[in-house]
Amino acid sequence: MIDKQRNPRALAVDVLVKVNKGAYSNIELKNIIADSQLSQLDINLLTEIVYGVIQHKLTLDYFLSPFVEGKKVQDWVHQLLLTAVFQMVYLDRVPTRAIFNESIEIAKTEGHSGIRAFVTGVLHAMQRKGFPELDAIKDQKNYRSVKYSVAPWIIKELDAQLGESKTNRILASINQPARQAARINTQKITQVQAVDYLNAHEYKVIPSEVAEDGIVVSNGSVARSELFQNGSLTVQDESAMLVAEAMQLESGMTVLDACAAPGGKTTHIAQQVGENGHVLALDLHPKKVALIRTNAKRMGLNTQVEAKALDARKIDLLAEDNSFDRILVDAPCSGIGLIRRKPEIRYEKALTDSEKLHKIQLEILNAVAAKVKNNGIITYSTCTILKQENENTMTDFLKLHPEFELIQTSTKKQLKSSRTTPYLNIYPDDFESDGFFIACLQKRA
């Protein structure tokens, strides 16, 4: 019998079953780890298996299907077999014997003798016959979908918008591990000080080549560091750090962050407007508003951050026209740019989601448009790479609001400075960071 609280493979199956029912992988992993008795080594294996199985799901199902075809398999057994296939295909360092022994023991503990025998038979058949070749898939669209484990509609849209070559580079990149990045709180520490401190405390850290205040951590969890606990840094992807950089913020400004949770961009804005500035941070959900306040307090920025629960489309209830120097609309989106970090997105979303979100994005922009001062700037950002939610939203907004014009989106490190568009597209293969879209709209006097 296995002790599940000490067994990363058994816990991985539990997480995957819950994710298959609609739970978020990052939240389930966090909860399972907190309740377990795992060593750091086993936590790493658990995390690798969970994200690996979700990331490569279509590929793994293709490899597994000949061995379970025509058989009715319970979901937890299916997830158990997928974890075994993932380890066999992608984890060279794990001996096949260990994979088989652990998987069979889990089947024995969680099920009955018939399930144990079934799992044993499937595992040995896979070892004996080998997995089917991907080249056997003759339909090119289906081949790429299975190879990269991405829903066909996403590939079709990216092909149409970016071309097949760029799409293939993006698809290859999103199956690489996500980099761990953090942003320095410049009110408390410099980037050099943070890099030196973390490197002296068993982390491996380099300055970001993408964002001015960013660092990249390749060893250890930076969220457990002393610098995180005392508010000297916060965990944030490098692409997300570019949003506040693009806003052209100055000390003392009044800023509206219209869709603010969990507060990463809010605190970045607060750093730059300083103690004399003010940031009104809105979110629809009270629990998420509490998270914004917690993050601001941890970083010592709570005096300039005011967080309220409100749908940004109802901003008239809180603010007069011409109230803000800057407005950020980090809009609700499909999150296609986050596929590397949140792999379940690639299966859960549909093209109709982007079309519905486009309407919501436009409603938010329309609601806040009058609230920015003359010559002020609305910065619009998303963590998706689809034109339906990015360029198309900008085009439709400008048709309705000729008083605004698109101005050049600039970052501190002048990323993609030779591009021909005023807005900035960051794709997952560009800098190994999340996919992002950033546009700046200036209101004419």
Side-chain angles (χ1 to χ4, degrees), residues 55-72:
Q55 194 172 60
H56 299 285
K57 183 177 183 297
L58 300 184
T59 314
L60 298 174
D61 271 328
Y62 175 77
F63 289 149
L64 177 62
S65 59
F67 304 100
V68 297
E69 202 168 14
K71 300 179 177 71
K72 189 174 181 181

Side-chain angles (χ1 to χ4, degrees), residues 358-400:
H358 166 76
K359 294 177 182 177
I360 295 171
Q361 292 156 358
L362 201 55
E363 288 172 359
I364 294 171
L365 283 166
N366 288 338
V368 304
K371 306 307 175 187
V372 69
K373 297 175 182 177
N374 290 338
N375 293 317
I377 296 170
I378 296 177
T379 297
Y380 174 81
S381 64
T382 71
C383 52
T384 190
I385 54 177
L386 297 176
K387 287 185 177 179
Q388 287 89 337
E389 303 172 61
N390 296 337
E391 290 91 335
N392 292 2
T393 300
M394 291 296 89
T395 299
D396 288 353
F397 175 78
L398 290 170
K399 284 178 183 176
L400 295 169

Side-chain angles (χ1 to χ4, degrees), residues 266-267 270 277-281 292-293 296 301-307:
T266 306
T267 54
H278 180 255
V279 186
L280 175 59
I292 298 169
R293 291 178 182 139
L301 299 165
N302 47 309
T303 56
Q304 57 260 54
V305 173
E306 179 186 10

Side-chain angles (χ1 to χ4, degrees), residues 17 34 44 53-54 76 131 200 216 259 291 319 329 347 365 381 442:
V17 168
N44 294 344
V53 169
I54 299 170
W76 75 266
F131 298 116
V216 177
C259 312
L291 195 57
V329 177
Y347 317 115
L365 283 166
S381 64
Q442 188 165 34

Side-chain angles (χ1 to χ4, degrees), residues 61-120:
D61 271 328
Y62 175 77
F63 289 149
L64 177 62
S65 59
F67 304 100
V68 297
E69 202 168 14
K71 300 179 177 71
K72 189 174 181 181
V73 182
Q74 293 180 55
D75 187 41
W76 75 266
V77 178
H78 184 227
Q79 299 303 328
L80 172 61
L81 290 170
L82 290 179
T83 66
V85 177
F86 169 72
Q87 292 172 82
M88 292 168 73
V89 175
Y90 294 101
L91 300 187
D92 294 337
R93 69 183 185 277
V94 180
T96 301
R97 181 185 69 258
I99 299 168
F100 281 26
N101 289 345
E102 289 275 335
S103 299
I104 293 167
E105 195 63 30
I106 292 167
K108 180 181 176 182
T109 302
E110 296 294 311
H112 49 70
S113 59
I115 290 176
R116 180 195 57 76
F118 171 71
V119 168
T120 303

Side-chain angles (χ1 to χ4, degrees), residues 4 57 64 119 171 179 197 231 288 351 368 417:
K4 185 180 286 189
K57 183 177 183 297
L64 177 62
V119 168
L171 294 174
R179 296 205 298 187
Y197 178 89
K288 292 185 176 181
L351 183 57
V368 304
S417 57

